[in-house]
Amino acid sequence: MALERNPAYVAPSQTIYTCPMHPEIEQDHPGDCPICGMPLEPKGVPAATDDNEDAEVRSLTFKFWIGAALALPVFFLAMGEMIPGLELSTYVPPEVSKWVQLILATPVVFWAGGIFFVRGWNSIVNRSLNMFTLVSVGVGAAYVYSTIGVIFPHLFPARFQVGGHVELYFEAAAVVTVLVLLGQLLEARARNQTGAAIKSLLGLAAKTAHRLKNNEEEEEIAVDDVQVGDRLRVRPGEKVPLDGVILEGKSTLDESMVTGEPLAVAKTTGDAVIGATVNQTGSFVMRAEKVGAETLLAQIVNMVAEAQRSRAPIQQMVDKVAAIFVPAVLITAVLTFLAWFFFGPEPALAYALVNAVAVLIIACPCALGLATPMSVMVGVGRGAQSGVLIKNAEAIEKTEKVGQLVTDKTGTLTQGRPSVTGIKTTGEVASDDVLRLAAALETQSEHPLARAIVQAAQEKNLATPTVENFDSITAGGVRGHVEGRTVLVGKRAWLEEEKVAGLDALTSLADDWQAEARTVVWAAIDGQATAILGISDPIKDSTPSAVEALHRQEIIITMCTGDNEATANAVAQELHIDRVRANATPSSKHELVRELQRNRQGLVAMAGDGINDAPALAAADVGIAMGTGTDVAIESAGITLVKGDLHGIVKAIKLSRAVMGNIRQNLFFAFIYNALGVPVAAGVLYPFFGLLLNPMIAGLAMSLSSVCVISNALRLRRVKID
């Protein structure tokens, strides 16, 4: 595979090929799936200029047009007598016509349609009968029968002949082959269209970057030559090369291509920037922190690629049906042949063959096989364009059935950028000293509240001393020795467990702050309560409308937070949250999810962004990680929201319902088509209306059923979820 240098793509050491419909099939070389017969595709992420998929389309297009050009005269030679004004027998004698049909039909069947016979034979060898089994048997029977009729006509008894000659069906074999080729061509083009989301994402990546040398001179380099820690200058109108942090300057960035949100975002010193977003007004210097496969864009592309090749549980039902359906069709074709041969009108053999072939052709389950994977592939791509990244098809199917949502508070409902809004001491230690000592401990913590304390100290230019014997207590706080004193910073309940004295002196004020939705952090020095710090985390502007939208979708919302009960209730009351669980630990969040799963009010989705949310995200029926959160949370979730707010959950639910509805429509089209088509092809209408289904019409109907499924799936590209 020829790859363009691209920071959003990391070439595997060896290309692995897999089947879109059966991802469990993997091998290290190209070929066909032994289950469904479809061509295997390279696994992972294609390069933006990858030409492999286009090669398949070009090959099928070439074979289709050459096959059609050869099949058309065969059709007219065979059917010309039935078209008024077109009496080709005047110009082409019957004896010549049959040889011309044989000569023209042979390359159509064996060159243009040779792949069908190979796949059909493989399906028999692998004991996995599929659509190519039916096509190869049907087309092969029509061709072999007609060829024998041309070369050895004396083998047929007189009663099997019409007007002294054997009926030929080269036109059925040739035209059906061309029509099946058309169906394969349309499917290949559709697969290319479903990969458009990945290719468009790959195309977003910047190709070059301006790196600053130690002497402040700039050099233009390829983005994939950038190393972690490099300083890069980004000018107005340029794409941000990679993920990093602004060191100097400020600007507004258009992040819509990654987050799906149209509004520009203001950025200044210390703010994170995302690779492939567009710098608008200002110029800034950034430090590269993630390169190659670690960038957000690369993770998005890889997640989309893997999700498009995953299988929804509903596909297992389709596979079971197909495994029974194909043998049933073969038996039906045999019974049709025997019924017409023994009980049909003369020439009995011709009627038996034509109707048996029609049954085989019209029953091809290609539409059935396409129904689920096509919808999943298009739906995953549509979600990626709106900032909803789906890890696998199972997450799509389960999200539709979500009736309960458990959500964290900090970083999910709130902005996740808390700030210290008050410090109250007992008077024994100055507030700046408390802040300085607390910040020294919190420097080693990644909790959002810890960052708020550190930032408050930095804003006051307070130097943080060295910490010894640092220890972090899960769901409790942090401790350490600072300047010869034992300092504890954390929750009141934890300080009580540590036998800290003097807590009551600050209790009244702490209660007041909590009623105002402030989070209270307690500080103690040498076993004595010293101060409380009030920290506020504003609710995201988008949260109220998102909660309202979720309620309209009949979702029961539970806020589960490690914060205290008073603060949690204040936030829940403001947002009209249905249920609240405060003072939650990672284990209690996990238990809450299990508890809700037992109450049978719909599947449970869990939304979070921290390491402490990972167990609950993994336990939930659908884990939803905020893209602004930790890697552990994202790895534990089935869905990741790039923007990181509840509106993404609304989008995910809308998308899942649209995709699953589309799958059901496709399955209906496929099942009803076969349920009606097979009996008609077998000739059940002949005794009543004298109607028979020509194999060519059966082939056209089979191709149209695939077109119907493909067209319906592609509608998902335009579904409104924003």
Side-chain angles (χ1 to χ4, degrees):
M1 180 188 299
L3 297 178
E4 180 186 16
R5 289 167 62 86
N6 193 311
Y9 177 78
V10 177
S13 57
Q14 184 179 35
T15 301
I16 301 298
Y17 294 83
T18 185
C19 174
M21 298 183 188
H22 300 90
E24 69 274 16
I25 301 299
E26 292 186 357
Q27 62 186 43
D28 59 1
H29 57 278
D32 296 327
C33 175
I35 298 176
C36 66
M38 296 300 292
L40 301 179
E41 299 178 4
K43 186 178 181 180
V45 182
T49 58
D50 188 12
D51 198 44
N52 279 12
E53 293 180 347
D54 293 336
E56 180 190 0
V57 172
R58 286 196 299 269
S59 174
L60 289 172
T61 301
F62 181 68
K63 288 184 176 181
F64 168 74
W65 285 113
I66 297 298
L70 295 175
L72 192 61
V74 175
F75 173 80
F76 281 119
L77 286 171
M79 310 295 290
E81 300 297 329
M82 300 181 183
I83 303 175
L86 188 62
E87 298 178 358
L88 294 180
S89 59
T90 306
Y91 310 99
V92 184
E95 283 300 315
V96 176
S97 175
K98 64 181 183 181
W99 284 99
V100 172
Q101 292 181 52
L102 171 60
I103 293 171
L104 294 179
T106 300
V108 176
V109 172
F110 292 105
W111 174 73
I115 54 174
F116 305 144
F117 290 98
V118 172
R119 294 172 183 176
W121 174 252
N122 289 337
S123 72
I124 297 173
V125 172
N126 295 316
R127 298 181 182 179
S128 180
L129 304 181
N130 53 49
M131 63 168 285
F132 297 107
T133 314
L134 305 183
V135 171
S136 58
V137 171
V139 170
Y143 178 84
V144 170
Y145 172 86
S146 302
T147 301
I148 295 174
V150 172
I151 302 176
F152 307 106
H154 59 278
L155 296 179
F156 292 86
R159 71 187 188 93
F160 289 158
Q161 301 183 20
V162 178
H165 66 273
V166 179
E167 285 287 318
L168 305 179
Y169 297 99
F170 287 119
E171 82 285 355
V175 174
V176 166
T177 298
V178 171
L179 290 173
V180 176
L181 269 174
L182 175 61
Q184 293 293 294
L185 174 59
L186 293 174
E187 290 175 25
R189 287 181 175 175
R191 287 198 302 273
N192 277 1
Q193 291 178 0
T194 60
I198 292 180
K199 291 182 179 179
S200 64
L201 286 171
L202 284 169
L204 295 176
K207 302 299 185 293
T208 60
H210 301 288
R211 181 166 63 186
L212 293 177
K213 300 180 181 179
N214 292 334
N215 59 5
E216 300 302 316
E217 289 185 3
E218 290 186 20
E219 60 174 342
E220 185 172 336
I221 61 173
V223 168
D224 41 352
D225 290 334
V226 175
Q227 303 295 319
V228 173
D230 284 350
R231 293 183 303 140
L232 310 173
R233 185 181 299 281
V234 184
R235 298 185 177 88
E238 293 183 341
K239 290 183 177 180
V240 177
L242 297 162
D243 298 1
V245 174
I246 295 179
L247 300 176
E248 304 172 15
K250 60 182 180 179
S251 184
T252 56
L253 272 69
D254 177 3
E255 298 183 341
S256 59
M257 65 281 295
V258 176
T259 65
E261 299 294 329
L263 297 178
V265 181
K267 300 284 185 178
T268 187
T269 303
D271 288 341
V273 291
I274 304 172
T277 56
V278 179
N279 182 28
Q280 291 190 330
T281 56
S283 176
F284 60 86
V285 175
M286 61 171 285
R287 179 179 64 245
E289 295 196 335
K290 293 183 179 180
V291 299
E294 296 181 351
T295 64
L296 176 62
L297 180 63
Q299 293 174 11
I300 290 174
V301 171
N302 279 284
M303 188 177 293
V304 171
E306 290 301 318
Q308 286 190 335
R309 288 185 169 88
S310 64
R311 310 180 72 207
I314 195 173
Q315 180 66 26
Q316 297 175 1
M317 179 270 290
V318 175
D319 289 345
K320 291 178 181 178
V321 171
I324 299 172
F325 178 75
V326 175
V329 169
L330 290 173
I331 294 172
T332 302
V334 171
L335 293 176
T336 299
F337 180 89
L338 295 175
W340 281 94
F341 183 80
F342 289 108
F343 306 108
E346 294 297 335
L349 180 61
Y351 276 108
L353 176 66
V354 169
N355 289 299
V357 169
V359 168
L360 292 170
I361 298 301
I362 201 168
C364 285
C366 50
L368 190 63
L370 288 170
T372 297
M374 280 298 303
S375 297
V376 169
M377 292 172 73
V378 179
V380 167
R382 176 65 183 90
Q385 293 171 344
S386 294
V388 179
L389 308 182
I390 300 167
K391 182 177 290 186
N392 52 52
E394 183 178 4
I396 297 178
E397 185 167 341
K398 287 186 174 181
T399 301
E400 181 202 27
K401 303 172 184 176
V402 166
Q404 304 176 87
L405 171 66
V406 180
T407 175
D408 185 31
K409 177 176 74 70
T410 304
T412 304
L413 301 177
T414 62
Q415 294 179 5
R417 293 193 297 268
S419 59
V420 177
T421 55
I423 301 177
K424 179 64 177 178
T425 71
T426 57
E428 298 177 6
V429 181
S431 60
D432 282 356
D433 284 337
V434 172
L435 182 59
R436 183 172 59 85
L437 296 175
L441 287 175
E442 300 290 15
T443 299
Q444 302 186 44
S445 173
E446 293 186 355
H447 195 281
L449 299 183
R451 292 198 296 269
I453 295 173
V454 173
Q455 184 176 358
Q458 291 174 345
E459 290 174 353
K460 289 191 172 187
N461 296 318
L462 300 177
T464 55
T466 303
V467 179
E468 297 178 351
N469 301 322
F470 174 82
D471 188 18
S472 177
I473 288 76
T474 302
V478 292
R479 79 164 88 220
H481 292 284
V482 186
E483 296 180 343
R485 292 178 285 185
T486 301
V487 181
L488 282 71
V489 180
K491 295 181 178 181
R492 172 171 178 154
W494 176 58
L495 268 62
E496 288 176 344
E497 293 176 2
E498 296 295 320
K499 309 301 182 183
V500 171
L503 295 171
D504 292 341
L506 298 169
T507 298
S508 178
L509 179 59
D511 291 342
D512 292 340
W513 281 1
Q514 290 170 355
E516 297 170 1
R518 292 199 217 184
T519 299
V520 176
V521 176
W522 295 72
I525 299 176
D526 293 332
Q528 184 69 33
T530 306
I532 56 174
L533 294 82
I535 300 178
S536 298
D537 187 8
I539 293 173
K540 293 179 181 178
D541 294 337
S542 60
T543 299
S545 59
V547 170
E548 183 180 350
L550 288 168
H551 280 151
R552 286 198 300 268
Q553 293 180 338
E554 300 182 349
I555 306 296
I556 301 171
I557 305 174
T558 301
M559 184 177 72
C560 184
T561 175
D563 216 333
N564 62 81
E565 191 168 344
T567 302
N569 285 332
V571 173
Q573 185 175 0
E574 181 177 349
L575 293 174
H576 305 290
I577 301 287
D578 301 301
R579 295 181 294 220
V580 179
R581 183 70 61 91
N583 297 309
T585 63
S587 60
S588 63
K589 288 184 178 182
H590 179 275
E591 179 55 35
L592 173 63
V593 169
R594 293 299 190 197
E595 177 186 323
L596 294 177
Q597 287 172 330
R598 290 191 292 267
N599 69 17
R600 301 182 181 278
Q601 291 182 294
L603 297 187
V604 178
M606 168 69 192
D609 65 345
I611 295 175
N612 61 329
D613 297 319
L617 287 169
D621 297 298
V622 181
I624 302 174
M626 301 297 154
T628 52
T630 63
D631 292 340
V632 174
I634 293 173
E635 285 298 320
S636 302
I639 295 176
T640 299
L641 308 178
V642 176
K643 182 64 176 177
D645 64 24
L646 290 189
H647 270 298
I649 300 177
V650 178
K651 294 178 184 178
I653 293 174
K654 287 182 179 179
L655 178 64
S656 69
R657 291 176 177 176
V659 170
M660 294 308 300
N662 194 270
I663 288 174
R664 293 188 186 96
Q665 292 167 4
N666 285 347
L667 291 176
F668 173 79
F669 292 148
F671 279 121
I672 197 68
Y673 159 81
N674 285 312
L676 297 177
V678 171
V680 172
V684 296
L685 298 180
Y686 185 79
F688 308 102
F689 306 103
L691 295 178
L692 290 176
L693 189 64
N694 189 291
M696 291 185 295
I697 304 301
L700 178 61
M702 182 268 292
S703 295
L704 289 177
S705 70
S706 296
V707 172
C708 182
V709 167
I710 292 170
S711 301
N712 190 52
L714 292 177
R715 289 193 308 112
L716 288 171
R717 293 187 301 174
R718 299 184 297 275
V719 67
K720 293 183 179 180
I721 62 174
D722 298 320

